[in-house]
Amino acid sequence: MFRKVHLYLTALCAGITTAILIVMSLLYLYLSEKELYENQFRSFQNDINTIATSLEQQSVISMEWLSKMEARGGYTFYALDNGIPFLYNRLTNLSESSEIRGLLENCLEIYRNNYADSYVSDTDGSTPFNTCVHTEFPYNPTGRQHEYYISIIELNRGTSSMQLLVLSPLDFLREQITRQRVRFFLIDIAALLLLTLFSFFFTGKLLQPVIESRKKQTEFVAAASHELRTPLAVILSAAECCRDAEAEKQSRFLDTIRQEGDILTSLVNDMLALSASDTQRFTCRPAPVELDTLLINTYEAFEPLAAEKKLSLSVTLPEESLPLCTADADRIVQLLSILLHNAVSYTPEGGRIGLSLSHKKNRFYLTVSDTGIGILPEDRKKIFDRFYRAEKSRSAKGHFGLGLSIASEIVRLHHGTISVADRPGGGSVFTVILP
Ligand code: ADP
């Protein structure tokens, strides 16, 4: 299921980012191409200005000069002297009815129809003496965009007039633009591949916590069912035996049922507490509390249980008075009870359990130490996991490996830390630090 979601998210993420990239690329291409053509048109106009000024200043227009100008700008010139094709016209000499010739004639036609107020052949002597005007415009004979820029320069000297048509093909610019488009296309393809790879890893990382939480949930359900099975099986078999047993034996079976029922209740309560913490319903109502008073109360509550197991329980408090701690008193008692309950359960008869409180650098240090079976270094991290029980403590009845998970949840709610260490001389020490 997660594989499908992963692929779907990858496609979605890569698709959206690539679509944005393509739109941006197209926009950039559009603007840059527009600017290229505009710049080219401006530079063409500047060239024509220079040519027109030189033409105006020359009394005799030399063929050599015309051909030099033509070669320099990569242009094609077509000149009319008083409406008659000029001797210079290279193209007209090459082929009278060539395509280019038709093109040039066509340009003149357009110019006459759209731009020229008076065409040279219409000159009737009213044309102003010694004038030079020029007009530039784009020309697309086949209907495609950006084929040529055209300029018509009209030079009038008294009654004689000359027209120079300058044709600037835009092939090189179109080639440059095509190359730019291909480059962008290749960059976009590469970006698409990279974005797909990135999206795959990115969404994989995003899904990781969901996958882990799902895995934990499945493990939790499996472990919970496993833990529930044993007391239930005992209850069912005790109930079965109770039915056929003699009256005096029945009470023993009923006691067993009651005991297992209590164990089940505590297990279900623990599971409910953890489920509440998962759904953020595990509440904590902090208020100023006297931790030393809480410690003494818990000590007193556990004293009979410790005595029953022949354990000595002691409490150590600092001599100076402590500041109030902002904490949920009920949760702190629950936390201390879990630690003390474990200490009592995992310490053999004759052992010692110590409860202590100290205050350093604005922090409260709560410790529960015992001279019990101790915890192996490889188990120290795992004991805070749900349903985890170290090998040597598996035989303890009524323990399901949930106590420390609840304890660490309480500590987390108080923004504190919980850790475990070896007690010098054997046993373990749990330390809770509260800010
Ligand atoms: P449990 O209900 O099984 O005690 P906990 O989450 O409280 O569950 O503890 C997890 C495991 O950590 C225990 O099963 C035990 O192996 C180990 N443990 C906890 N406290 C102690 C202790 N004081 N001494 C030795 N082992 C301990």
Side-chain angles (χ1 to χ4, degrees):
M1 180 190 103
F2 281 111
R3 204 180 148 67
K4 235 177 166 179
V5 174
H6 188 189
L7 292 178
Y8 172 73
L9 283 178
T10 303
L12 190 74
C13 191
I16 290 174
T17 41
T18 310
I20 293 172
L21 187 84
I22 289 174
V23 169
M24 300 305 271
S25 304
L26 289 178
L27 194 68
Y28 173 80
L29 280 177
Y30 168 75
L31 292 175
S32 106
E33 286 175 17
K34 196 166 162 246
E35 197 176 313
L36 271 175
Y37 283 118
E38 278 170 7
N39 285 346
Q40 182 60 27
F41 192 64
R42 265 196 296 278
S43 117
F44 177 65
Q45 280 178 320
N46 286 343
D47 268 12
I48 298 301
N49 258 333
T50 317
I51 294 170
T53 314
S54 306
L55 269 177
E56 215 175 355
Q57 285 162 0
Q58 289 175 44
S59 49
V60 180
I61 294 156
S62 83
M63 289 190 197
E64 197 191 336
W65 183 84
L66 280 175
S67 116
K68 208 170 93 188
M69 289 290 122
E70 209 177 18
R72 208 171 70 179
Y75 304 134
T76 301
F77 286 176
Y78 183 60
L80 296 178
D81 190 10
N82 286 320
I84 302 156
F86 199 53
L87 190 59
Y88 165 76
N89 294 332
R90 202 159 43 89
L91 292 163
T92 41
N93 293 338
L94 286 175
S95 91
E96 269 299 311
S97 56
S98 72
E99 232 174 86
I100 294 270
R101 170 89 194 269
L103 206 83
L104 297 167
E105 294 287 1
N106 216 348
C107 292
L108 280 174
E109 191 63 35
I110 292 174
Y111 172 69
R112 264 176 244 150
N113 295 338
N114 299 303
Y115 301 96
D117 291 338
S118 62
Y119 182 55
V120 69
S121 54
D122 303 331
T123 310
D124 53 2
S126 60
T127 315
F129 189 77
N130 217 4
T131 59
C132 181
V133 288
H134 56 91
T135 311
E136 288 73 46
F137 55 94
Y139 175 51
N140 309 310
T142 61
R144 281 162 57 211
Q145 272 203 323
H146 310 295
E147 290 184 58
Y148 300 97
Y149 287 145
I150 303 287
S151 176
I152 313 265
I153 305 172
E154 281 199 49
L155 182 68
N156 299 305
R157 281 197 181 116
T159 49
S160 89
S161 71
M162 180 189 171
Q163 268 194 329
L164 182 66
L165 189 146
V166 184
L167 183 91
S168 166
L170 298 174
D171 302 356
F172 74 98
L173 205 59
R174 282 208 311 273
E175 272 166 27
Q176 188 183 334
I177 281 168
T178 308
R179 275 201 302 278
Q180 179 168 289
R181 285 181 184 180
V182 170
R183 269 201 298 272
F184 262 81
F185 178 71
L186 293 177
I187 289 171
D188 280 358
I189 294 277
L192 171 70
L193 291 176
L194 286 175
L195 282 171
T196 309
L197 266 180
F198 168 76
S199 307
F200 187 77
F201 287 113
F202 180 67
T203 50
K205 276 253 174 292
L206 277 186
L207 277 177
Q208 205 55 39
V210 184
I211 295 172
E212 261 162 32
S213 132
R214 174 67 181 253
K215 195 172 146 226
K216 276 191 181 157
Q217 208 178 347
T218 315
E219 283 170 2
F220 183 80
V221 172
S225 330
H226 178 79
E227 296 296 343
L228 284 168
R229 218 166 37 198
T230 319
L232 271 178
V234 176
I235 289 174
L236 288 175
S237 72
E240 193 67 30
C241 296
C242 188
R243 201 176 49 190
D244 310 326
E246 296 151 12
E248 69 267 21
K249 279 193 178 171
Q250 272 186 347
S251 72
R252 228 181 62 216
F253 289 122
L254 288 175
D255 281 349
T256 310
I257 292 174
R258 172 76 214 212
Q259 247 175 35
E260 294 300 321
D262 285 346
I263 291 176
L264 271 183
T265 310
S266 106
L267 173 61
V268 170
N269 283 342
D270 284 356
M271 287 186 349
L272 282 176
L274 286 172
S275 137
S277 95
D278 288 346
T279 51
Q280 321 294 324
R281 284 183 293 110
F282 195 59
T283 51
C284 169
R285 292 183 200 87
V289 289
E290 289 175 355
L291 280 184
D292 41 2
T293 313
L294 284 188
L295 232 72
I296 292 169
N297 291 345
T298 322
Y299 161 77
E300 283 169 357
F302 270 83
E303 225 184 356
L305 189 66
E308 198 182 301
K309 268 201 81 182
K310 300 194 173 57
L311 300 169
S312 85
L313 180 62
S314 61
V315 63
T316 316
L317 297 172
E319 279 172 14
E320 74 277 8
S321 67
L322 292 175
L324 292 175
C325 173
T326 309
D328 184 326
D330 291 342
R331 294 285 179 213
I332 298 296
V333 170
Q334 190 182 5
L335 165 71
L336 289 171
S337 302
I338 291 168
L339 297 179
L340 279 174
H341 195 250
N342 280 348
V344 170
S345 305
Y346 301 120
T347 307
E349 270 187 17
R352 278 172 287 125
I353 298 171
L355 192 57
S356 80
L357 172 67
S358 58
H359 182 256
K360 270 177 261 164
K361 294 183 186 161
N362 272 340
R363 285 165 180 208
F364 293 94
Y365 291 77
L366 286 161
T367 64
V368 178
S369 63
D370 61 57
T371 57
I373 57 173
I375 300 164
L376 293 173
E378 61 265 29
D379 284 333
R380 275 183 208 148
K381 272 239 159 75
K382 298 185 202 155
I383 55 171
F384 295 98
D385 291 347
R386 294 172 187 191
F387 291 110
Y388 185 82
R389 301 181 68 190
E391 196 63 47
K392 46 186 181 173
S393 58
R394 292 258 161 94
S395 55
K397 212 170 177 222
H399 285 265
F400 301 101
L402 292 180
L404 288 179
S405 312
I406 296 173
S408 58
E409 210 43 54
I410 294 172
V411 173
R412 191 184 61 80
L413 282 178
H414 285 85
H415 310 290
T417 58
I418 182 166
S419 59
V420 63
D422 268 343
R423 183 185 167 280
S428 21
V429 189
F430 282 86
T431 308
V432 174
I433 305 176
L434 296 178

